[in-house]
Amino acid sequence: MSNSFGSIFRITTWGESHGNSLGVVIDGCPPGIKISQGFIQKELNRRRPGQSDITTPRNESDRVHIRSGLLNEITTGMPITLEIFNQDADSSKYEDIKHKWRPGHADFTYDQKYGIRDYRGSGRASGRETAARVAAGAVAKQILALFNIEIYAFTRAIGAITAQKINRLEIEKNMVRSPDKEAAVEMIALVQQIKSQQDSIGGIVELRILNLPAGLGEPVFNKFDAAMAGAIMGLGAVKAVEIGDGFGVASALGSQNNDIFVKKGEKAGTLTNHCGGVLGGMTTGEEFILRAAVKPPASIGIEQPTLTNTLEPTTILVEGRHDPTIVPRIVPVVESMAALVVVDFLLRQKCIENFTRKGEK
Amino acid sequence: MSNSFGSIFRITTWGESHGNSLGVVIDGCPPGIKISQGFIQKELNRRRPGQSDITTPRNESDRVHIRSGLLNEITTGMPITLEIFNQDADSSKYEDIKHKWRPGHADFTYDQKYGIRDYRGSGRASGRETAARVAAGAVAKQILALFNIEIYAFTRAIGAITAQKINRLEIEKNMVRSPDKEAAVEMIALVQQIKSQQDSIGGIVELRILNLPAGLGEPVFNKFDAAMAGAIMGLGAVKAVEIGDGFGVASALGSQNNDIFVKKGEKAGTLTNHCGGVLGGMTTGEEFILRAAVKPPASIGIEQPTLTNTLEPTTILVEGRHDPTIVPRIVPVVESMAALVVVDFLLRQKCIENFTRKGEK
Amino acid sequence: MSNSFGSIFRITTWGESHGNSLGVVIDGCPPGIKISQGFIQKELNRRRPGQSDITTPRNESDRVHIRSGLLNEITTGMPITLEIFNQDADSSKYEDIKHKWRPGHADFTYDQKYGIRDYRGSGRASGRETAARVAAGAVAKQILALFNIEIYAFTRAIGAITAQKINRLEIEKNMVRSPDKEAAVEMIALVQQIKSQQDSIGGIVELRILNLPAGLGEPVFNKFDAAMAGAIMGLGAVKAVEIGDGFGVASALGSQNNDIFVKKGEKAGTLTNHCGGVLGGMTTGEEFILRAAVKPPASIGIEQPTLTNTLEPTTILVEGRHDPTIVPRIVPVVESMAALVVVDFLLRQKCIENFTRKGEK
Amino acid sequence: MSNSFGSIFRITTWGESHGNSLGVVIDGCPPGIKISQGFIQKELNRRRPGQSDITTPRNESDRVHIRSGLLNEITTGMPITLEIFNQDADSSKYEDIKHKWRPGHADFTYDQKYGIRDYRGSGRASGRETAARVAAGAVAKQILALFNIEIYAFTRAIGAITAQKINRLEIEKNMVRSPDKEAAVEMIALVQQIKSQQDSIGGIVELRILNLPAGLGEPVFNKFDAAMAGAIMGLGAVKAVEIGDGFGVASALGSQNNDIFVKKGEKAGTLTNHCGGVLGGMTTGEEFILRAAVKPPASIGIEQPTLTNTLEPTTILVEGRHDPTIVPRIVPVVESMAALVVVDFLLRQKCIENFTRKGEK
């Protein structure tokens, strides 16, 4: 269960950083939908290592292979399997440190849980695992496009530098995926400086979803916001998630925080959107807004004290190939998780809608 | 599925604010554990309305009935059902507003999703639904006590007033559940002022868990922090969740944020705890720390513009009985959700441990 | 998980034979459907003890209480909870045998699994547990009625006496629920004779479902026939299940067994129905036919050798109140399980249909 | 969900008969267990086509590739992925019949459910799908070996010819997997005759499991026998399942059918085993016995009337490559499904056992 995600539209992923292949089985995809392999590849390229000089130099083409589930590019309702082979794995760097727990990494917790750990390239704890999520998310996005639902994310901040304006067209034009051209320049300079110090830096990713129908989500235990928070907090580097005004609500008054209902064309909407598009765990139809805090990568080129797995004090210098910040590369991963959550809720909602119509007869 | 929570230790809740009863079926509770009905009642009393003059005056004794699953107070492995009857429901106040959408409430989203809504006392969208969670959490806490795992939460802030010190013994001594005696006085004064204005105010709840074993949680899709974030964001009033340093990691360097492993007695631990007790989705064995932002209650005694469910503009004055802040009452609910998550992960972990030992033979 | 059944339309049951109450939470029921409490009661009456002189004399009115999920008799999409109190429990008969394993009963396996067992009236191993299933099934049947889907079951055989003709109108007119009036007379005589011998007897129940749409069920792991077999074999007394020609296919040729497709009005159907209405795990739209073998009740009034739970040889005479055959009372239970399976598959299918329509635009 | 099976030990399969590859992700396998790739291959060879002259001549080596989850042949707790490429697919034979519904096949029901169907080699409705089940089952069997649990199945009957004795050593020595050498000769002659008539024939498979611990299975909705019946009825060709005396219980008396408890060494067992090793849905520790009826393959070389998918009457002659009986090849598939069920229940049971011990302190 730990490697599956979703209820009706359900993905199951596999693969270690230095294993044979990574992949995903997508179960529950409705039939009759055209899927473009080119789009899946394009999304994988947005996440892949080596895409700019502020990411790890590991060179993986991340070419996707479709193993099942399509007939002439159309979904048949059968499971869709996508596979990506590892090509540039270099496990030699990990031999020296296989008995040491890297600070900030999951080496220690894997050892505690399983008593065994695939130390090569961090095994399944590597961010490389998210390639399978992005591949699946690229299928989900193609389904959402049928409903005109748009998902995008961007770098809101790196360190203390924050994007002040949001120009969606700007995002993919700069290495840090900032929607603010000027902030992007500063962010890149900061990352390069941090990189030259062999250190790393955190940041904030922001997610937006447009054109959601109202009423997605479940009212008690599988709320839209709860599912989304779980999905995004489930990315290794994320330590905080807020929706709408987020932590700002703690000091707000009810009279300020309530979003007033108003007519928008033939539909109801809200005048403000403090709630970030969710009330009572269900979407209002307004824009969904979420921000996530991303920690600085744990792998740094500075020597640190630590323990061996037999509790001997030692020091460690993590060589390997690292990202000075993971924020720009996590952007497509956040979008992918969001797409998976939305498709799953859409499917759940469809079954209620149809049934109700039947009941009305 | 929307009314069930957990995988092996799994609860299913029912009940509307003005319905017959609220309750919970707890499935998957291991056999042979002594359960005290008195403790369940005590926990319900911590959440119940009317407990102080800064909560709603609705008067519910919330007496718990045990319907199944125990033999002489010992669990048998069969489902444990707990039921609480509604006694002081007054639906008359809701007749006037049953066709209006209260701002900040889920009336609108229920209508969008289901096309029908139990308007009496907000139906299942009422905070009253959490009584069932607390009853179940009180069973979970009794299991955790066997492992010496302790869970507590408190009010970190109400509005701009923040607790500066944490004295666990202080928490249950004041109406706002502040761990800081001096801050409590200020918080209470603030809430009373807000109440006199017919308005409401938000705050921050903080959760701590002690004595967790290392290795709880799943490494990919059901991470300990992800599950906890989903559980707490799944409370109606919560809009943000952060773990450990939370949003602080966004401006931290890796060299600052990494927690160094050190020997603590015969075990490994970390020198600092920026990560809040979780690495790679699994517990480190250090204290688990989470903060959640709680919005101001949407029901206020101030007239607000809104729409009817036929999109006619109107105004609304929510009478009923309200809490000026929900922060103190959400404290036991946060603890309960945490207890449910931890018990479920403990059970999952047990099966791996046991199997591994077998394999070692 | 062991006390929940279904995926989208999901029930969770509780309650022991001599506990406080039995009940069921029905989660995932679509909104807007009218539910008759009277019909639920009528179905419970078909299963209840004491309904004729060939059933146990335990006297339970099995009055159903609706605890949640309805607003003016209409479903709201919230969980529907049904509760039945135990009134005529007499645990005194069980004190003497609480350390003995009754032959053919689950006493032994409960002890092995849990190390503790609610011996009073067999606890949750009692057939009384099925009252909750019938209550839930009565809700499911009301949903199916909107689709004109009809489910009925009957006694095909008791001992060596087999119904030779099927007159559906006859079934509820005789104590054994035989569709064949003449066979009914013989069956009743046989049961009375067996009863007078303090012994018990088995039989065969047959299930029919009419007006199923084609295409229900999943093609690989959740096939319609597999789910139905699991549901019916999951009744305590059932030891065998066959669909369509069942064991007869073992000696059939492909040229005999293949059902030929023919036009029936504007739809396709099959000329014969050897397959019992299922091909490749999905319904054909023809009648679904299933037969189940029901074992003789294990509780008999004849002294038998056995062991105590400390492995001492002893003898046992099961007093209590028993059914000489359980076949007639299992008929509504079989129907209920079938109704639950069908509703769940219908809901799953609706979401594909609805999505596909959207995709087609 | 339709392509996943199991709760804790959970497999997800993919792949069509003429697609790129077939495969399985095994999630929830405990860490620290040695897995032999050679054993997986050996099991696949028992199922593969072309293994004798009474099976389809399609020539597939079914070579298994391990994609993830092992470190030096030891499980790490991460998902184990096994992949098999299709090599001898010949879709040309299917072009002619892609608009016709083959009698006895799932062509019709796929069209009804999905509105689209991968007609090449029957797509996912092909028995070839079971290769992934056997690969997963071969991992499960290696886990069960640590507990000395043994699973085997054999051909009890083909047509009217029934094995009269069970010599386990004989099973793999003859083409039909009969445990009775003499019966094997007759069965083979029968199959060859049927094959020469271009027809097909059914049979009965029997499953035995030795050394099960007592207490596996859940008492209400996930009974051991119910799960097993669902698993085996979920094989495409199976139309009936019986456990222990099966349909024989219908005419048995309670005094005959009850299995008496007796001491066997230091443990309790039963004198007879009418119940087939299950009471109240949980294992007794005695041998588990199940028989399943297997229908004659639907693909025959005899011309049959049918409809096109636009409801035009036509005839069909299914060319392709067929098995005259599927009974011998289904034997390892039945074993595999059984192994998957048992491992899952073992893992569930471990968590109860461990917890109870803790509670006892």
Side-chain angles (χ1 to χ4, degrees), chain C residues 113 199 217 221 239 255 275, chain D residues 2 113 199 217 239 255 275 349:
Chain C
K113 184 181 194 74
D199 212 334
F221 282 126
K239 298 302 288 183
S255 57
C275 71
Chain D
S2 59
K113 184 179 194 75
D199 212 334
K239 298 302 288 183
S255 57
C275 70
Q349 185 62 8

Side-chain angles (χ1 to χ4, degrees), chain B residues 18-50:
Chain B
H18 290 196
N20 260 304
S21 70
L22 297 150
V24 60
V25 186
I26 303 170
D27 199 5
C29 185
I33 296 171
K34 189 174 174 78
I35 297 297
S36 154
Q37 180 164 354
F39 181 75
I40 302 172
Q41 192 61 59
K42 197 174 136 224
E43 288 288 283
L44 283 167
N45 293 349
R46 290 176 67 210
R47 194 217 67 92
R48 83 175 180 83

Side-chain angles (χ1 to χ4, degrees), chain D residues 165-181:
Chain D
K165 48 191 172 192
I166 302 177
N167 179 350
R168 190 173 161 188
L169 297 175
E170 199 60 43
I171 299 169
E172 294 296 317
K173 289 187 181 157
N174 60 75
M175 284 194 293
V176 283
R177 295 204 162 91
S178 163
D180 175 342
K181 202 173 178 173

Side-chain angles (χ1 to χ4, degrees), chain C residues 12-302:
Chain C
T12 302
T13 72
W14 79 79
E16 292 86 13
S17 183
H18 289 196
N20 259 304
S21 71
L22 298 150
V24 60
V25 186
I26 303 170
D27 199 4
C29 184
I33 296 171
K34 190 174 175 80
I35 297 297
S36 155
Q37 179 163 355
F39 181 76
I40 302 171
Q41 192 61 60
K42 198 175 134 224
E43 288 288 283
L44 283 167
N45 293 349
R46 291 177 67 209
R47 194 215 68 92
R48 83 175 180 83
Q51 64 184 267
S52 80
D53 72 355
I54 57 165
T55 66
T56 166
R58 178 169 170 179
N59 185 15
E60 293 286 352
S61 63
D62 283 354
R63 191 176 148 234
V64 67
H65 300 265
I66 300 180
R67 295 306 192 194
S68 65
L70 300 185
L71 180 69
N72 303 324
E73 304 190 308
I74 305 293
T75 62
T76 61
M78 300 300 102
I80 300 166
T81 299
L82 307 175
E83 188 169 19
I84 298 155
F85 290 94
N86 289 317
Q87 296 172 312
D88 188 28
D90 173 8
S91 302
S92 63
K93 293 288 197 320
Y94 294 86
E95 283 300 318
D96 284 352
I97 58 170
K98 71 179 178 183
H99 300 303
K100 297 179 180 180
W101 294 322
R102 290 169 295 163
H105 271 282
D107 302 341
F108 170 68
T109 49
Y110 268 81
D111 272 353
Q112 296 301 304
K113 184 181 194 74
Y114 298 108
I116 184 174
R117 163 170 65 94
D118 191 339
Y119 59 90
R120 302 166 306 173
S122 301
R124 195 146 170 76
S126 166
R128 187 147 180 71
E129 166 263 317
T130 60
R133 305 190 191 210
V134 170
V139 171
K141 281 184 176 179
Q142 295 184 61
I143 299 172
L144 294 180
L146 299 172
F147 295 84
N148 300 317
I149 296 172
E150 291 177 51
I151 295 181
Y152 69 102
F154 53 82
T155 297
R156 173 59 87 171
I158 292 184
I161 303 167
T162 300
Q164 300 299 329
K165 47 193 174 192
I166 302 177
N167 180 350
R168 189 172 161 189
L169 296 176
E170 200 59 43
I171 300 169
E172 295 296 317
K173 290 189 181 155
N174 60 75
M175 285 194 292
V176 282
R177 294 204 163 91
S178 163
D180 174 343
K181 202 174 177 171
E182 284 73 37
V185 176
E186 292 180 67
M187 288 173 181
I188 291 166
L190 173 62
V191 175
Q192 281 167 334
Q193 178 209 323
I194 297 291
K195 185 184 172 187
S196 71
Q197 296 168 3
Q198 311 277 6
D199 212 334
S200 64
I201 182 86
I204 293 174
V205 170
E206 186 162 323
L207 169 73
R208 302 287 183 113
I209 312 180
L210 300 172
N211 302 327
L212 285 167
L216 293 193
E218 304 285 334
V220 177
F221 282 126
N222 204 359
K223 290 187 162 87
F224 189 88
D225 40 358
M228 207 57 95
I232 304 305
M233 191 72 94
L235 299 172
V238 172
K239 298 302 288 183
V241 172
E242 63 179 6
I243 289 165
D245 285 2
F247 273 99
V249 302
S251 51
L253 297 177
S255 57
Q256 300 164 329
N257 188 63
N258 284 345
D259 298 305
I260 302 304
F261 293 106
V262 291
K263 225 173 140 177
K264 293 188 172 180
E266 294 307 300
K267 298 201 301 182
T270 59
L271 195 58
T272 49
N273 190 17
H274 298 294
C275 71
V278 185
L279 283 175
M282 294 171 280
T283 53
T284 62
E286 298 286 348
E287 191 172 21
F288 178 75
I289 302 168
L290 177 151
R291 276 171 304 279
V294 178
K295 74 175 191 179
S299 289
I300 54 176
I302 301 170

Side-chain angles (χ1 to χ4, degrees), chain A residues 36-350:
Chain A
S36 155
Q37 180 163 355
F39 181 76
I40 301 171
Q41 192 62 59
K42 197 174 136 223
E43 289 287 284
L44 283 168
N45 293 348
R46 290 177 67 209
R47 195 217 66 92
R48 83 175 180 83
Q51 65 184 265
S52 80
D53 71 355
I54 57 165
T55 65
T56 167
R58 178 169 171 179
N59 186 15
E60 293 285 353
S61 64
D62 283 354
R63 192 175 148 234
V64 66
H65 299 265
I66 300 179
R67 296 305 193 196
S68 66
L70 300 186
L71 180 69
N72 303 326
E73 304 189 308
I74 304 292
T75 61
T76 60
M78 300 299 103
I80 300 167
T81 300
L82 307 175
E83 187 169 21
I84 299 156
F85 289 94
N86 290 317
Q87 295 171 311
D88 188 29
D90 172 8
S91 302
S92 64
K93 293 290 197 317
Y94 293 86
E95 283 300 318
D96 284 353
I97 58 171
K98 71 180 179 182
H99 299 306
K100 297 179 180 181
W101 294 323
R102 288 169 297 163
H105 271 280
D107 302 341
F108 171 68
T109 49
Y110 268 80
D111 273 353
Q112 296 301 305
K113 185 180 194 74
Y114 297 108
I116 183 175
R117 162 172 64 94
D118 190 340
Y119 59 90
R120 302 166 306 172
S122 301
R124 195 148 169 75
S126 166
R128 187 148 180 72
E129 166 263 317
T130 60
R133 306 190 190 209
V134 170
V139 171
K141 280 183 177 181
Q142 295 185 60
I143 298 171
L144 294 180
L146 299 172
F147 295 85
N148 300 317
I149 296 172
E150 292 177 50
I151 294 181
Y152 69 100
F154 53 83
T155 297
R156 173 57 89 171
I158 292 184
I161 303 167
T162 301
Q164 300 299 328
K165 46 192 173 193
I166 302 177
N167 179 350
R168 190 173 162 188
L169 296 175
E170 200 59 43
I171 300 168
E172 294 297 317
K173 289 187 181 156
N174 61 74
M175 285 193 294
V176 283
R177 294 202 164 93
S178 162
D180 174 341
K181 201 174 179 172
E182 284 73 36
V185 176
E186 290 182 68
M187 287 173 179
I188 292 167
L190 174 62
V191 175
Q192 281 167 334
Q193 181 209 322
I194 297 292
K195 184 184 173 186
S196 71
Q197 296 168 4
Q198 310 277 6
D199 211 335
S200 65
I201 183 86
I204 292 173
V205 170
E206 186 162 325
L207 168 73
R208 302 287 184 111
I209 312 180
L210 301 172
N211 302 328
L212 285 168
L216 293 194
E218 302 287 333
V220 176
F221 282 125
N222 203 359
K223 290 188 161 85
F224 189 87
D225 40 358
M228 208 55 95
I232 304 303
M233 192 71 95
L235 298 173
V238 173
K239 297 302 288 182
V241 172
E242 63 179 8
I243 289 166
D245 285 2
F247 273 100
V249 302
S251 50
L253 298 176
S255 56
Q256 300 163 329
N257 188 62
N258 283 347
D259 299 304
I260 301 304
F261 292 106
V262 292
K263 224 173 140 178
K264 293 187 171 180
E266 294 307 299
K267 299 202 300 184
T270 59
L271 197 57
T272 49
N273 190 16
H274 297 295
C275 70
V278 185
L279 283 174
M282 295 171 279
T283 53
T284 61
E286 299 286 347
E287 191 172 20
F288 178 74
I289 303 169
L290 177 152
R291 277 172 303 281
V294 178
K295 74 174 188 179
S299 288
I300 54 177
I302 300 169
E303 190 168 61
Q304 301 167 90
T306 193
L307 296 176
T308 67
N309 59 13
T310 52
L311 300 191
E312 298 300 316
T314 182
T315 61
I316 193 164
L317 186 64
V318 184
E319 297 198 43
R321 296 166 296 193
H322 322 126
D323 292 271
T325 185
I326 203 69
V327 184
R329 287 182 65 203
I330 215 173
V331 163
V333 185
V334 165
E335 292 172 7
S336 294
M337 293 309 295
L340 293 167
V341 170
V342 175
V343 167
D344 197 30
F345 278 120
L346 265 178
L347 279 163
R348 295 172 71 141
Q349 185 63 8
K350 288 298 151 192

